[in-house]
Amino acid sequence: MSSPTPGVLSAIDFGRFDAEQDANLLDYFIDVGTASDALLGKYLVIGRKGSGKTALFKHVAASATGTVVEMDLEDYVFQAHKRLIDQAVSPAFAYAASWRFAIAISMYVEASPTMGWRLRWRGRRILRQIGAGPNKGPLAALFGWLGRVRKVALPSIPGIAELGGFEIADVEETFLVKSTLTLLDQLEEVLAAHVKKTPVTALVDRLDDAWDGTEESLRLIGGAVRAARHFAGKLQQDGPAPVIVFLRTDLWEKIAFNDKNKFAQDAVYLDWPNEELERVIDRRIHKTAGVPEGEGWATVFTTERMRSGTTALKYMTKRVLGRPRDIVAFSTFALDVAVSNGHTTIDGQDIYDAEVRYSKHIVDELRDELGDHVPSMVAVVNALKALGRRTFTLSTWKTAAMSAGIEAENVDAVLEQLFEASVVGVLRTGGGGGGSRTVYRYQDRFLRATETGQLQVHPAFTKELGLTDA
């Protein structure tokens, strides 16, 4: 174990909580087995908010061979898909073809500079025909997004430049016609010929921006996953799948269609055991402060036991929700306190003091996560505070919820949202090992409340909510 030095804490930078804004993210990227899967053909990455989807997105983008198309869907024109429904198939399949268009066009314009002239010429001819066809309006919105947000230089051919000028609000609702779908097949044939020599991988992220609580939006999101599966079969290439979709766990669980199980073999889940969360912090200590890898916790955090008798590591990982962003936030707050106190290591009191700020941070995160899915976050937070104790029953919850102003018809739905966010778990007593433990949705995705069982609020929230363990 390395001995701490007065300057080691000041040298540490645990990074930003939001991976999107962390310029050094790839320096301390941790692979929990998903990166290799994503680089070897899996096309669906499923993870909770804050579980590292963005980090994996960046890692795959930096590591994949050939052409990489980063479709992060910022400011994306999701409405365009509602103008390109395939009427010839069931509702569950209706948006797959429109997503195929969005992805194929993105792949072509990104890969065309490296194509042979014959394939490039064929692709341009197809795009010209699309621009003159009956579905040109909504397809124009896709071209406009490519040029406006992704800064893709559209092919300099007659008609294509004008496509970006369409406003989706001015486009009449229509269905994909047979001639347009034929052109899509031809564009995919161009891509299929190209990827035999140079792989192309489109990374599709931030699909959750399309979620508005309706079944229609779930079908829209499901269409992107179906399109990824289609391209996996259509474009045979070495290395990563031609399309990889990054999707939040809760949205994947909400999507229902009769062949959903076919995707299981090609999906990877972003799960974080405590030992991997330990590595997240250890790697950042190593990269920023030069502490030998594997010695970060023992060097920077106290080796003395916390009041509960556990180590600092166990105390902190118990208070995170199985996500890298949480352990980074807690560690950052503890580091700030220790530096402010002039300490050479982060001691137990630093961690206790930081926990107050961390708990407030987690409650604020909850407001962001559930704000669009519950009638009133103020009422939800007040209902949790009204519980008074971490441990409660369904009847206690219903009383607290209604006293906080949550309508009776929404009480169960709000609790389900709290389960989904792992704010609430089920207290399981006894068992082969004796004792009791609380299980949360991030540990068991099929977890449900029972009428007779006891529930518990996650310890991450207790300080800010003023809940007691008694």
Side-chain angles (χ1 to χ4, degrees), residues 302-306 308-317 351:
T302 181
T303 56
E304 296 180 1
R305 296 280 168 168
M306 306 293 286
S308 57
T310 65
T311 64
L313 172 61
K314 287 186 178 179
Y315 185 89
M316 293 177 69
T317 52
I351 294 172

Side-chain angles (χ1 to χ4, degrees), residues 1-2 8 25-31 275-300:
M1 180 186 74
S2 301
V8 69
L25 186 66
L26 294 180
D27 290 342
Y28 31 68
F29 177 79
I30 296 289
D31 181 12
E275 56 268 24
E276 298 297 343
L277 294 175
E278 176 186 1
R279 287 181 63 211
V280 167
I281 298 304
D282 181 80
R283 176 71 60 83
R284 293 172 189 229
I285 294 172
H286 167 66
K287 289 291 186 179
T288 61
V291 175
E293 199 155 7
E295 298 182 14
W297 279 88
T299 301
V300 172

Side-chain angles (χ1 to χ4, degrees), residues 149-175:
V149 177
R150 295 200 56 251
K151 304 298 188 294
V152 170
L154 298 176
S156 55
I157 57 178
I160 295 299
E162 288 84 351
L163 287 176
F166 281 81
E167 291 294 335
I168 192 63
D170 299 329
V171 178
E172 294 183 4
E173 186 167 345
T174 185
F175 297 105

Side-chain angles (χ1 to χ4, degrees), residues 80 83-84 130 133-142 163 166-168 171:
R83 311 295 207 276
L84 290 170
I130 290 173
N135 295 124
K136 64 181 179 181
L139 286 168
L142 301 179
L163 287 176
F166 281 81
E167 291 294 335
I168 192 63
V171 178

Side-chain angles (χ1 to χ4, degrees), residues 177-197:
V177 300
K178 186 176 180 179
S179 60
T180 306
L181 291 170
T182 298
L183 291 170
L184 172 59
D185 290 336
Q186 293 174 3
L187 185 59
E188 290 179 352
E189 289 171 4
V190 169
L191 292 169
H194 174 69
V195 301
K196 291 178 180 178
K197 294 183 178 180

Side-chain angles (χ1 to χ4, degrees), residues 211-232:
W211 165 242
D212 62 9
T214 65
E215 286 298 317
E216 191 72 7
S217 65
L218 287 178
R219 285 194 285 268
L220 174 61
I221 293 168
V225 181
R226 288 188 178 279
R229 186 166 185 261
H230 166 83
F231 281 108

